[in-house]
Amino acid sequence: MNNSSSRADILRRVRAALRHDPALAGERRNKVFEDLAAATEGPRPKLVGDLLERFCRCSQAMSSTVDRVSSIAEVPAAVARYLSAAGLPAVAVCWHEYASLDWAGAGLTVAARAARDDDLVGITGAFCAIAETGTLMLLSGPATAATTSLLPETHIAIVLAGRIVAGMEEGFALLRQEHGELPRAVNFISGPSRTGDIELTIVLGAHGPYRVHLVVVGAAPEA
């Protein structure tokens, strides 16, 4: 028996054991998608207070720092204040959607490109933010490089208050509503990178940014 017939025989026996009919694969796949779309939520804790306050409180509990501004035009000045207070360089990279902000007017040099390994500060937005856990939800894409939030020692995220949702369930529902399909990667960020692998001692910045600073823009959304 040659290799080709051996392989075919093995696959035939596997299919028989699994009662798998290749002709039904598409039908089964559609049934999975239908079941996912019709899935009901299990029990969840009810959030107390407004979403913005909850998000800020939980973010700070995860070692993020938080600043709040009224409009997107105030973001460069807020970022400049943070960098100056922390003794960090006034140089950064940002997502393309924020390239038009008046960074130079705030005394900053900001390039709209994906981060490289020598960039110290990365500025991103967020697809949405999770109030329940103080978590950012970021989607990868050509204009939203994941490296900008992962490579620099300092990650600054611009969070629109109107994009704060209660929980991850609402975050994924919003993703399905606005994008339909999942992007290549969905990254959840809850404060700086950390590890407790060595003697159970928490160390920040082990696998990513040492610092996460959030600039929250706008008023609180309704719960």
Side-chain angles (χ1 to χ4, degrees), residues 27-89:
E27 180 180 330
R28 287 174 175 155
R29 187 179 301 109
N30 292 336
K31 181 64 167 58
V32 168
F33 286 129
E34 290 174 4
D35 289 345
L36 288 173
T40 57
E41 291 186 2
R44 296 171 57 190
K46 182 175 178 58
L47 298 188
V48 178
D50 69 72
L51 297 182
L52 175 55
E53 292 298 332
R54 167 81 182 220
F55 172 73
C56 292
R57 184 171 66 254
C58 290
S59 296
Q60 291 168 326
M62 296 300 292
S63 302
S64 294
T65 53
V66 180
D67 192 6
R68 291 169 61 175
V69 297
S70 299
S71 68
I72 196 72
E74 299 174 56
V75 168
V79 171
R81 286 195 303 272
Y82 169 74
L83 294 177
S84 176
L88 297 171

Side-chain angles (χ1 to χ4, degrees), residues 1-219:
M1 183 180 291
N2 60 38
N3 290 337
S4 177
S5 60
S6 296
R7 179 176 181 275
D9 184 58
I10 291 171
L11 292 176
R12 178 186 59 75
R13 282 182 285 166
V14 170
R15 291 191 188 101
L18 295 176
R19 295 185 175 86
H20 175 67
D21 182 353
L24 298 177
E27 180 180 330
R28 287 174 175 155
R29 187 179 301 109
N30 292 336
K31 181 64 167 58
V32 168
F33 286 129
E34 290 174 4
D35 289 345
L36 288 173
T40 57
E41 291 186 2
R44 296 171 57 190
K46 182 175 178 58
L47 298 188
V48 178
D50 69 72
L51 297 182
L52 175 55
E53 292 298 332
R54 167 81 182 220
F55 172 73
C56 292
R57 184 171 66 254
C58 290
S59 296
Q60 291 168 326
M62 296 300 292
S63 302
S64 294
T65 53
V66 180
D67 192 6
R68 291 169 61 175
V69 297
S70 299
S71 68
I72 196 72
E74 299 174 56
V75 168
V79 171
R81 286 195 303 272
Y82 169 74
L83 294 177
S84 176
L88 297 171
V91 179
V93 294
C94 74
W95 281 358
H96 290 279
E97 66 183 285
Y98 301 114
S100 62
L101 293 180
D102 187 15
W103 301 111
L108 303 175
T109 300
V110 177
R113 59 169 172 79
R116 299 188 294 254
D117 58 1
D118 58 342
D119 290 311
L120 298 179
V121 180
I123 302 171
T124 74
F127 172 71
C128 69
I130 311 300
E132 184 176 9
T133 56
T135 299
L136 303 175
M137 183 176 182
L138 278 63
L139 311 183
S140 66
T144 55
T147 58
T148 310
S149 66
L150 298 175
L151 283 181
E153 293 181 352
T154 300
H155 173 205
I156 300 174
I158 301 168
V159 181
L160 303 182
R163 301 287 293 187
I164 298 175
V165 298
M168 288 190 179
E169 292 85 350
E170 286 78 13
F172 276 109
L174 189 62
L175 174 56
R176 288 192 295 270
Q177 175 187 327
E178 295 185 355
H179 292 266
E181 297 183 353
L182 288 173
R184 183 173 183 178
V186 178
N187 294 312
F188 291 98
I189 297 174
S190 300
S193 166
R194 69 192 68 214
T195 183
D197 293 342
I198 302 174
E199 297 183 354
L200 301 180
T201 300
I202 296 298
V203 177
L204 298 183
H207 310 295
Y210 292 87
R211 312 168 196 88
V212 172
H213 181 64
L214 311 178
V215 181
V216 182
V217 181

